[in-house]
Amino acid sequence: MVIATTIAGIVAYVIINFVLFLATLAAADGVASDHKSLALIGGAVLLALIAFGGGTLLLLLRKPWSRGLGLGLMIGWALLTIFTAGFCTGVNPSFYTDGLL
């Protein structure tokens, strides 16, 4: 059960990350265009808070389904950070500040 919910947690985090990533970029280009870096930092902090804050809370519930889901959120954040070189999770700010976006 833990393995299945861990995989579900990874998939859930990828979906959450995709939606928040697009929302953060839209906010940085639209409403917060004067404060683009602040919007990008806020999005990166929110994604990390969902992964590690939500993951920790789920681990503290000490149920098999919550333990797997919490680990899956954290593993999902780590995998996306590695596979996208920090672009999708906001860890590598040089992508945003060097004019790529």
Side-chain angles (χ1 to χ4, degrees), residues 32-97:
S33 60
D34 295 335
H35 307 287
K36 187 178 210 176
S37 61
L38 185 62
L40 295 173
I41 290 170
V45 169
L46 184 61
L47 286 171
L49 186 64
I50 289 170
F52 295 107
T56 301
L57 288 176
L58 286 168
L59 284 173
L60 292 175
L61 288 177
R62 297 186 181 257
K63 298 191 188 241
W65 65 268
S66 67
R67 183 171 292 163
L69 200 57
L71 285 174
L73 289 175
M74 293 181 203
I75 292 169
W77 183 89
L79 288 175
L80 278 176
T81 301
I82 291 169
F83 290 146
T84 65
F87 180 73
C88 288
T89 55
V91 175
N92 192 351
S94 65
F95 282 130
Y96 309 109
T97 58

